[in-house]
Amino acid sequence: MDLGISGKKAIVCAASKGLGKACAISLAREGVDVTICARTPGPLEATAEEIRALDGGGVTAIPCDITTDEGRDKILEQCANPDILINNAGGPPPGDFRNWDRDAWIKAIDANMLTPIFLIKVTVDWMMERKFGRVINITSSAVKAPNELLGLSNGARAGLTGFIAGIARKTVANNVTINAVLPGAFDTDRLRSNFKHVAEKTGKSVDEVATARAAENPAKRLGQAYEFGELCAFLCSDQAGFITGQNILIDGGNYPGTL
Ligand code: NAD
């Protein structure tokens, strides 16, 4: 299927690894010019090289911390008027809520709620003027089924989800859609670091925790990042203009509800 987005411009945040990287690859394969960022230049440039080798859309790599004003300014300087915005940042650490002080909460809210809101704020009007825009927020299956250990994530992402529910119904009249994609367990560095936390608490090895987690999933495996990237690319397609304000789970069927 031709997604009809060749030649469009995308900002893909936090994209040197994992789900952000997979989204950048899937979009670039469709001919989208992607501007990617991450804090550490080495892995970011390696990902940019990988994308260049695909012979799809162009790629520009901007080393920056997307959760800061300076970081967002840097990426917007390179790509001021994106047609597509993929909001992503590292997830907050797991832990016990008794140990989280105000700083821990502000950091989580900055990364997983305010950063996407600020990026939408400065890009959405241009998208509406142009009558095309696709915004995807990478959130978490924890938005639907909270995990006790991920309280910082549950709280900050719930705030983002509520905000989006309001504006996504306004922008769509101008063919600008805003949706969230909610990953379940995907085999990325982030998930491995969560497994490490569980391994330390239970005395098991990280591999044992990973195997057990995969076995619990109805698909009997963890998700692969490319599966996430392809869903994201479809939601950014020309054909997806009637989908907005949705929170789309991609979790191998792990969420047990009917709806
Ligand atoms: P990952 O650790 O594999 O990759 C994260 C990427 O973000 C890296 O490229 C890293 O350099 C970049 N990054 C982190 N903080 C940044 C910042 N402040 N500025 C710029 N770049 C930054 O993680 P992932 O598994 O791809 O997760 C992506 C998001 O999805 C996270 O918010 C995570 O909590 C969430 N999530 C992941 C899973 C999963 O199973 N992998 C499940 C639920 C939610």
Side-chain angles (χ1 to χ4, degrees), residues 14-20 37-39 64-67 88-91 112 138-140 157 183-186 188-191:
S16 67
K17 292 183 192 169
L19 305 179
C37 79
R39 285 165 303 186
C64 69
D65 182 341
I66 197 65
T67 67
N88 186 30
N112 300 115
I138 300 180
T139 64
S140 172
R157 297 189 201 277
F186 276 79
T188 64
D189 286 5
R190 156 78 183 178
L191 192 67

PDB file of all heavy atoms in Angstrom, residues 14-20 37-39 64-67 88-91 112 138-140 157 183-186 188-191, ligand 1:
ATOM      1  N   ALA A  14      13.411  11.233  20.149  1.00  0.00           N
ATOM      2  CA  ALA A  14      13.986  10.108  20.897  1.00  0.00           C
ATOM      3  C   ALA A  14      14.083   8.865  20.015  1.00  0.00           C
ATOM      4  O   ALA A  14      13.442   7.850  20.261  1.00  0.00           O
ATOM      5  CB  ALA A  14      13.162   9.843  22.149  1.00  0.00           C
ATOM      6  N   ALA A  15      14.897   8.985  18.978  1.00  0.00           N
ATOM      7  CA  ALA A  15      14.825   7.985  17.908  1.00  0.00           C
ATOM      8  C   ALA A  15      16.150   7.304  17.587  1.00  0.00           C
ATOM      9  O   ALA A  15      16.322   6.772  16.490  1.00  0.00           O
ATOM     10  CB  ALA A  15      14.259   8.644  16.646  1.00  0.00           C
ATOM     11  N   SER A  16      17.114   7.301  18.527  1.00  0.00           N
ATOM     12  CA  SER A  16      18.340   6.569  18.195  1.00  0.00           C
ATOM     13  C   SER A  16      18.164   5.076  18.424  1.00  0.00           C
ATOM     14  O   SER A  16      18.930   4.262  17.922  1.00  0.00           O
ATOM     15  CB  SER A  16      19.531   7.093  19.008  1.00  0.00           C
ATOM     16  OG  SER A  16      19.382   6.804  20.373  1.00  0.00           O
ATOM     17  N   LYS A  17      17.155   4.711  19.208  1.00  0.00           N
ATOM     18  CA  LYS A  17      16.950   3.304  19.580  1.00  0.00           C
ATOM     19  C   LYS A  17      15.463   3.003  19.654  1.00  0.00           C
ATOM     20  O   LYS A  17      14.639   3.910  19.643  1.00  0.00           O
ATOM     21  CB  LYS A  17      17.517   3.052  20.978  1.00  0.00           C
ATOM     22  CG  LYS A  17      19.011   3.128  21.113  1.00  0.00           C
ATOM     23  CD  LYS A  17      19.376   2.782  22.527  1.00  0.00           C
ATOM     24  CE  LYS A  17      20.819   3.119  22.814  1.00  0.00           C
ATOM     25  NZ  LYS A  17      21.086   3.016  24.245  1.00  0.00           N
ATOM     26  N   GLY A  18      15.165   1.735  19.804  1.00  0.00           N
ATOM     27  CA  GLY A  18      13.838   1.282  20.209  1.00  0.00           C
ATOM     28  C   GLY A  18      12.696   1.725  19.310  1.00  0.00           C
ATOM     29  O   GLY A  18      12.796   1.705  18.078  1.00  0.00           O
ATOM     30  N   LEU A  19      11.601   2.139  19.940  1.00  0.00           N
ATOM     31  CA  LEU A  19      10.362   2.401  19.207  1.00  0.00           C
ATOM     32  C   LEU A  19      10.466   3.650  18.343  1.00  0.00           C
ATOM     33  O   LEU A  19       9.943   3.694  17.224  1.00  0.00           O
ATOM     34  CB  LEU A  19       9.197   2.526  20.204  1.00  0.00           C
ATOM     35  CG  LEU A  19       9.014   1.323  21.151  1.00  0.00           C
ATOM     36  CD1 LEU A  19       7.844   1.569  22.107  1.00  0.00           C
ATOM     37  CD2 LEU A  19       8.809   0.032  20.375  1.00  0.00           C
ATOM     38  N   GLY A  20      11.137   4.698  18.854  1.00  0.00           N
ATOM     39  CA  GLY A  20      11.316   5.915  18.065  1.00  0.00           C
ATOM     40  C   GLY A  20      12.112   5.626  16.797  1.00  0.00           C
ATOM     41  O   GLY A  20      11.744   6.075  15.702  1.00  0.00           O
ATOM     42  N   CYS A  37      16.134  12.815  16.802  1.00  0.00           N
ATOM     43  CA  CYS A  37      16.983  13.313  17.885  1.00  0.00           C
ATOM     44  C   CYS A  37      17.174  12.256  18.957  1.00  0.00           C
ATOM     45  O   CYS A  37      16.399  11.299  19.062  1.00  0.00           O
ATOM     46  CB  CYS A  37      16.410  14.588  18.495  1.00  0.00           C
ATOM     47  SG  CYS A  37      15.057  14.306  19.649  1.00  0.00           S
ATOM     48  N   ALA A  38      18.220  12.438  19.715  1.00  0.00           N
ATOM     49  CA  ALA A  38      18.495  11.689  20.947  1.00  0.00           C
ATOM     50  C   ALA A  38      19.615  12.473  21.621  1.00  0.00           C
ATOM     51  O   ALA A  38      20.228  13.344  20.997  1.00  0.00           O
ATOM     52  CB  ALA A  38      18.915  10.256  20.661  1.00  0.00           C
ATOM     53  N   ARG A  39      19.864  12.159  22.891  1.00  0.00           N
ATOM     54  CA  ARG A  39      20.858  12.978  23.603  1.00  0.00           C
ATOM     55  C   ARG A  39      22.288  12.661  23.204  1.00  0.00           C
ATOM     56  O   ARG A  39      23.135  13.533  23.154  1.00  0.00           O
ATOM     57  CB  ARG A  39      20.692  12.788  25.115  1.00  0.00           C
ATOM     58  CG  ARG A  39      19.490  13.516  25.665  1.00  0.00           C
ATOM     59  CD  ARG A  39      19.150  13.019  27.032  1.00  0.00           C
ATOM     60  NE  ARG A  39      18.915  11.574  27.025  1.00  0.00           N
ATOM     61  CZ  ARG A  39      18.493  10.855  28.046  1.00  0.00           C
ATOM     62  NH1 ARG A  39      18.252  11.440  29.188  1.00  0.00           N
ATOM     63  NH2 ARG A  39      18.292   9.561  27.932  1.00  0.00           N
ATOM     64  N   CYS A  64      20.147  16.225  20.984  1.00  0.00           N
ATOM     65  CA  CYS A  64      19.553  17.147  21.964  1.00  0.00           C
ATOM     66  C   CYS A  64      18.688  16.389  22.954  1.00  0.00           C
ATOM     67  O   CYS A  64      18.287  15.258  22.695  1.00  0.00           O
ATOM     68  CB  CYS A  64      18.706  18.219  21.263  1.00  0.00           C
ATOM     69  SG  CYS A  64      17.204  17.590  20.500  1.00  0.00           S
ATOM     70  N   ASP A  65      18.442  17.053  24.062  1.00  0.00           N
ATOM     71  CA  ASP A  65      17.513  16.513  25.058  1.00  0.00           C
ATOM     72  C   ASP A  65      16.150  17.116  24.777  1.00  0.00           C
ATOM     73  O   ASP A  65      15.918  18.306  25.022  1.00  0.00           O
ATOM     74  CB  ASP A  65      18.012  16.889  26.464  1.00  0.00           C
ATOM     75  CG  ASP A  65      17.107  16.312  27.551  1.00  0.00           C
ATOM     76  OD1 ASP A  65      15.945  15.960  27.251  1.00  0.00           O
ATOM     77  OD2 ASP A  65      17.568  16.239  28.702  1.00  0.00           O
ATOM     78  N   ILE A  66      15.253  16.299  24.280  1.00  0.00           N
ATOM     79  CA  ILE A  66      13.954  16.808  23.817  1.00  0.00           C
ATOM     80  C   ILE A  66      13.077  17.292  24.972  1.00  0.00           C
ATOM     81  O   ILE A  66      12.090  17.999  24.756  1.00  0.00           O
ATOM     82  CB  ILE A  66      13.219  15.730  22.968  1.00  0.00           C
ATOM     83  CG1 ILE A  66      12.099  16.325  22.130  1.00  0.00           C
ATOM     84  CG2 ILE A  66      12.684  14.592  23.834  1.00  0.00           C
ATOM     85  CD1 ILE A  66      12.526  17.276  21.077  1.00  0.00           C
ATOM     86  N   THR A  67      13.450  16.962  26.191  1.00  0.00           N
ATOM     87  CA  THR A  67      12.621  17.373  27.336  1.00  0.00           C
ATOM     88  C   THR A  67      12.971  18.782  27.829  1.00  0.00           C
ATOM     89  O   THR A  67      12.404  19.252  28.805  1.00  0.00           O
ATOM     90  CB  THR A  67      12.743  16.373  28.510  1.00  0.00           C
ATOM     91  OG1 THR A  67      14.068  16.443  29.039  1.00  0.00           O
ATOM     92  CG2 THR A  67      12.445  14.966  28.073  1.00  0.00           C
ATOM     93  N   ASN A  88       8.023  11.352  21.541  1.00  0.00           N
ATOM     94  CA  ASN A  88       8.574  10.223  22.287  1.00  0.00           C
ATOM     95  C   ASN A  88       9.674  10.767  23.182  1.00  0.00           C
ATOM     96  O   ASN A  88      10.306  11.780  22.875  1.00  0.00           O
ATOM     97  CB  ASN A  88       9.163   9.213  21.286  1.00  0.00           C
ATOM     98  CG  ASN A  88       9.642   7.938  21.940  1.00  0.00           C
ATOM     99  OD1 ASN A  88       9.111   7.493  22.964  1.00  0.00           O
ATOM    100  ND2 ASN A  88      10.662   7.328  21.349  1.00  0.00           N
ATOM    101  N   ALA A  89       9.888  10.096  24.291  1.00  0.00           N
ATOM    102  CA  ALA A  89      11.022  10.407  25.181  1.00  0.00           C
ATOM    103  C   ALA A  89      11.223   9.176  26.044  1.00  0.00           C
ATOM    104  O   ALA A  89      10.351   8.297  26.091  1.00  0.00           O
ATOM    105  CB  ALA A  89      10.709  11.618  26.067  1.00  0.00           C
ATOM    106  N   GLY A  90      12.347   9.110  26.703  1.00  0.00           N
ATOM    107  CA  GLY A  90      12.568   7.978  27.588  1.00  0.00           C
ATOM    108  C   GLY A  90      11.477   7.935  28.646  1.00  0.00           C
ATOM    109  O   GLY A  90      10.958   8.971  29.060  1.00  0.00           O
ATOM    110  N   GLY A  91      11.125   6.733  29.070  1.00  0.00           N
ATOM    111  CA  GLY A  91      10.105   6.588  30.111  1.00  0.00           C
ATOM    112  C   GLY A  91      10.718   6.794  31.488  1.00  0.00           C
ATOM    113  O   GLY A  91      11.921   6.600  31.679  1.00  0.00           O
ATOM    114  N   ASN A 112       7.085  13.239  29.702  1.00  0.00           N
ATOM    115  CA  ASN A 112       6.026  12.403  29.138  1.00  0.00           C
ATOM    116  C   ASN A 112       4.669  13.089  29.039  1.00  0.00           C
ATOM    117  O   ASN A 112       3.709  12.500  28.574  1.00  0.00           O
ATOM    118  CB  ASN A 112       5.909  11.095  29.937  1.00  0.00           C
ATOM    119  CG  ASN A 112       7.199  10.293  29.900  1.00  0.00           C
ATOM    120  OD1 ASN A 112       7.858  10.101  30.920  1.00  0.00           O
ATOM    121  ND2 ASN A 112       7.596   9.873  28.718  1.00  0.00           N
ATOM    122  N   ILE A 138       3.813   8.504  21.443  1.00  0.00           N
ATOM    123  CA  ILE A 138       4.143   7.165  21.941  1.00  0.00           C
ATOM    124  C   ILE A 138       3.925   7.199  23.448  1.00  0.00           C
ATOM    125  O   ILE A 138       4.606   7.947  24.166  1.00  0.00           O
ATOM    126  CB  ILE A 138       5.593   6.765  21.607  1.00  0.00           C
ATOM    127  CG1 ILE A 138       5.796   6.769  20.083  1.00  0.00           C
ATOM    128  CG2 ILE A 138       5.931   5.417  22.208  1.00  0.00           C
ATOM    129  CD1 ILE A 138       7.199   6.380  19.624  1.00  0.00           C
ATOM    130  N   THR A 139       2.928   6.470  23.947  1.00  0.00           N
ATOM    131  CA  THR A 139       2.668   6.477  25.388  1.00  0.00           C
ATOM    132  C   THR A 139       2.951   5.087  25.950  1.00  0.00           C
ATOM    133  O   THR A 139       4.095   4.619  25.856  1.00  0.00           O
ATOM    134  CB  THR A 139       1.255   7.010  25.709  1.00  0.00           C
ATOM    135  OG1 THR A 139       0.264   6.150  25.163  1.00  0.00           O
ATOM    136  CG2 THR A 139       1.073   8.425  25.204  1.00  0.00           C
ATOM    137  N   SER A 140       1.947   4.403  26.438  1.00  0.00           N
ATOM    138  CA  SER A 140       2.207   3.100  27.056  1.00  0.00           C
ATOM    139  C   SER A 140       0.899   2.362  27.278  1.00  0.00           C
ATOM    140  O   SER A 140      -0.139   2.998  27.527  1.00  0.00           O
ATOM    141  CB  SER A 140       2.901   3.303  28.403  1.00  0.00           C
ATOM    142  OG  SER A 140       3.002   2.081  29.083  1.00  0.00           O
ATOM    143  N   ARG A 157       1.489  10.183  31.821  1.00  0.00           N
ATOM    144  CA  ARG A 157       0.868   9.857  30.527  1.00  0.00           C
ATOM    145  C   ARG A 157      -0.643  10.027  30.579  1.00  0.00           C
ATOM    146  O   ARG A 157      -1.272  10.332  29.559  1.00  0.00           O
ATOM    147  CB  ARG A 157       1.252   8.445  30.111  1.00  0.00           C
ATOM    148  CG  ARG A 157       2.764   8.281  29.882  1.00  0.00           C
ATOM    149  CD  ARG A 157       3.030   6.930  29.271  1.00  0.00           C
ATOM    150  NE  ARG A 157       4.371   6.433  29.435  1.00  0.00           N
ATOM    151  CZ  ARG A 157       5.425   6.733  28.689  1.00  0.00           C
ATOM    152  NH1 ARG A 157       5.298   7.625  27.723  1.00  0.00           N
ATOM    153  NH2 ARG A 157       6.599   6.173  28.893  1.00  0.00           N
ATOM    154  N   PRO A 183       2.334   1.057  23.486  1.00  0.00           N
ATOM    155  CA  PRO A 183       3.050  -0.212  23.402  1.00  0.00           C
ATOM    156  C   PRO A 183       2.847  -1.065  24.651  1.00  0.00           C
ATOM    157  O   PRO A 183       2.861  -0.547  25.773  1.00  0.00           O
ATOM    158  CB  PRO A 183       4.515   0.224  23.282  1.00  0.00           C
ATOM    159  CG  PRO A 183       4.583   1.595  23.874  1.00  0.00           C
ATOM    160  CD  PRO A 183       3.217   2.211  23.678  1.00  0.00           C
ATOM    161  N   GLY A 184       2.660  -2.360  24.422  1.00  0.00           N
ATOM    162  CA  GLY A 184       2.787  -3.333  25.508  1.00  0.00           C
ATOM    163  C   GLY A 184       4.269  -3.650  25.642  1.00  0.00           C
ATOM    164  O   GLY A 184       5.102  -2.745  25.569  1.00  0.00           O
ATOM    165  N   ALA A 185       4.595  -4.902  25.790  1.00  0.00           N
ATOM    166  CA  ALA A 185       6.000  -5.288  26.015  1.00  0.00           C
ATOM    167  C   ALA A 185       6.735  -5.449  24.683  1.00  0.00           C
ATOM    168  O   ALA A 185       6.494  -6.415  23.947  1.00  0.00           O
ATOM    169  CB  ALA A 185       6.053  -6.576  26.809  1.00  0.00           C
ATOM    170  N   PHE A 186       7.600  -4.503  24.378  1.00  0.00           N
ATOM    171  CA  PHE A 186       8.432  -4.560  23.169  1.00  0.00           C
ATOM    172  C   PHE A 186       9.877  -4.762  23.575  1.00  0.00           C
ATOM    173  O   PHE A 186      10.354  -4.143  24.539  1.00  0.00           O
ATOM    174  CB  PHE A 186       8.295  -3.264  22.355  1.00  0.00           C
ATOM    175  CG  PHE A 186       7.106  -3.288  21.454  1.00  0.00           C
ATOM    176  CD1 PHE A 186       5.843  -3.037  21.959  1.00  0.00           C
ATOM    177  CD2 PHE A 186       7.238  -3.614  20.108  1.00  0.00           C
ATOM    178  CE1 PHE A 186       4.731  -3.098  21.138  1.00  0.00           C
ATOM    179  CE2 PHE A 186       6.129  -3.669  19.281  1.00  0.00           C
ATOM    180  CZ  PHE A 186       4.871  -3.414  19.798  1.00  0.00           C
ATOM    181  N   THR A 188      13.032  -3.894  23.732  1.00  0.00           N
ATOM    182  CA  THR A 188      13.936  -2.753  23.519  1.00  0.00           C
ATOM    183  C   THR A 188      14.802  -2.595  24.772  1.00  0.00           C
ATOM    184  O   THR A 188      14.550  -3.247  25.794  1.00  0.00           O
ATOM    185  CB  THR A 188      13.127  -1.447  23.340  1.00  0.00           C
ATOM    186  OG1 THR A 188      12.435  -1.190  24.565  1.00  0.00           O
ATOM    187  CG2 THR A 188      12.124  -1.518  22.202  1.00  0.00           C
ATOM    188  N   ASP A 189      15.759  -1.682  24.684  1.00  0.00           N
ATOM    189  CA  ASP A 189      16.617  -1.411  25.856  1.00  0.00           C
ATOM    190  C   ASP A 189      15.796  -1.009  27.075  1.00  0.00           C
ATOM    191  O   ASP A 189      16.096  -1.373  28.198  1.00  0.00           O
ATOM    192  CB  ASP A 189      17.601  -0.272  25.544  1.00  0.00           C
ATOM    193  CG  ASP A 189      18.706  -0.731  24.625  1.00  0.00           C
ATOM    194  OD1 ASP A 189      18.656  -1.899  24.167  1.00  0.00           O
ATOM    195  OD2 ASP A 189      19.615   0.079  24.354  1.00  0.00           O
ATOM    196  N   ARG A 190      14.762  -0.230  26.822  1.00  0.00           N
ATOM    197  CA  ARG A 190      13.915   0.255  27.919  1.00  0.00           C
ATOM    198  C   ARG A 190      13.293  -0.933  28.671  1.00  0.00           C
ATOM    199  O   ARG A 190      13.312  -0.988  29.892  1.00  0.00           O
ATOM    200  CB  ARG A 190      12.826   1.151  27.338  1.00  0.00           C
ATOM    201  CG  ARG A 190      11.561   1.298  28.161  1.00  0.00           C
ATOM    202  CD  ARG A 190      11.719   2.240  29.316  1.00  0.00           C
ATOM    203  NE  ARG A 190      10.497   2.307  30.119  1.00  0.00           N
ATOM    204  CZ  ARG A 190      10.383   3.038  31.204  1.00  0.00           C
ATOM    205  NH1 ARG A 190      11.371   3.752  31.636  1.00  0.00           N
ATOM    206  NH2 ARG A 190       9.258   3.063  31.880  1.00  0.00           N
ATOM    207  N   LEU A 191      12.741  -1.879  27.897  1.00  0.00           N
ATOM    208  CA  LEU A 191      12.098  -3.020  28.559  1.00  0.00           C
ATOM    209  C   LEU A 191      13.138  -3.843  29.311  1.00  0.00           C
ATOM    210  O   LEU A 191      12.894  -4.298  30.427  1.00  0.00           O
ATOM    211  CB  LEU A 191      11.372  -3.883  27.523  1.00  0.00           C
ATOM    212  CG  LEU A 191      10.435  -4.912  28.141  1.00  0.00           C
ATOM    213  CD1 LEU A 191       9.253  -4.235  28.826  1.00  0.00           C
ATOM    214  CD2 LEU A 191       9.931  -5.895  27.112  1.00  0.00           C
TER     215      LEU A 191
HETATM  216  P1  NAD B   1      14.581   2.785  24.430  1.00  0.00           P
HETATM  217  O1  NAD B   1      15.273   2.973  25.736  1.00  0.00           O
HETATM  218  O2  NAD B   1      14.829   1.552  23.670  1.00  0.00           O
HETATM  219  O3  NAD B   1      14.829   4.031  23.481  1.00  0.00           O
HETATM  220  C1  NAD B   1      14.600   5.328  23.959  1.00  0.00           C
HETATM  221  C2  NAD B   1      15.158   6.335  22.972  1.00  0.00           C
HETATM  222  O4  NAD B   1      14.873   7.622  23.474  1.00  0.00           O
HETATM  223  C3  NAD B   1      16.677   6.276  22.818  1.00  0.00           C
HETATM  224  O5  NAD B   1      16.988   6.578  21.491  1.00  0.00           O
HETATM  225  C4  NAD B   1      17.153   7.374  23.745  1.00  0.00           C
HETATM  226  O6  NAD B   1      18.412   7.880  23.373  1.00  0.00           O
HETATM  227  C5  NAD B   1      16.071   8.405  23.513  1.00  0.00           C
HETATM  228  N1  NAD B   1      15.856   9.360  24.581  1.00  0.00           N
HETATM  229  C6  NAD B   1      15.589   9.095  25.876  1.00  0.00           C
HETATM  230  N2  NAD B   1      15.432  10.236  26.560  1.00  0.00           N
HETATM  231  C7  NAD B   1      15.621  11.248  25.677  1.00  0.00           C
HETATM  232  C8  NAD B   1      15.584  12.647  25.784  1.00  0.00           C
HETATM  233  N3  NAD B   1      15.355  13.246  26.961  1.00  0.00           N
HETATM  234  N4  NAD B   1      15.815  13.397  24.685  1.00  0.00           N
HETATM  235  C9  NAD B   1      16.060  12.808  23.505  1.00  0.00           C
HETATM  236  N5  NAD B   1      16.107  11.469  23.343  1.00  0.00           N
HETATM  237  C10 NAD B   1      15.887  10.707  24.419  1.00  0.00           C
HETATM  238  O7  NAD B   1      13.015   2.914  24.823  1.00  0.00           O
HETATM  239  P2  NAD B   1      11.721   2.369  24.036  1.00  0.00           P
HETATM  240  O8  NAD B   1      11.417   0.998  24.516  1.00  0.00           O
HETATM  241  O9  NAD B   1      11.845   2.638  22.598  1.00  0.00           O
HETATM  242  O10 NAD B   1      10.592   3.291  24.699  1.00  0.00           O
HETATM  243  C11 NAD B   1      10.119   4.481  24.089  1.00  0.00           C
HETATM  244  C12 NAD B   1       8.969   4.994  24.946  1.00  0.00           C
HETATM  245  O11 NAD B   1       7.918   4.008  24.997  1.00  0.00           O
HETATM  246  C13 NAD B   1       9.378   5.256  26.402  1.00  0.00           C
HETATM  247  O12 NAD B   1       8.717   6.389  26.884  1.00  0.00           O
HETATM  248  C14 NAD B   1       8.879   4.018  27.115  1.00  0.00           C
HETATM  249  O13 NAD B   1       8.613   4.241  28.477  1.00  0.00           O
HETATM  250  C15 NAD B   1       7.608   3.701  26.341  1.00  0.00           C
HETATM  251  N6  NAD B   1       7.208   2.309  26.481  1.00  0.00           N
HETATM  252  C16 NAD B   1       8.008   1.311  26.032  1.00  0.00           C
HETATM  253  C17 NAD B   1       7.585  -0.026  26.206  1.00  0.00           C
HETATM  254  C18 NAD B   1       8.435  -1.182  25.742  1.00  0.00           C
HETATM  255  O14 NAD B   1       8.045  -2.324  25.992  1.00  0.00           O
HETATM  256  N7  NAD B   1       9.543  -1.002  25.108  1.00  0.00           N
HETATM  257  C19 NAD B   1       6.350  -0.288  26.811  1.00  0.00           C
HETATM  258  C20 NAD B   1       5.563   0.763  27.242  1.00  0.00           C
HETATM  259  C21 NAD B   1       6.000   2.066  27.072  1.00  0.00           C
END
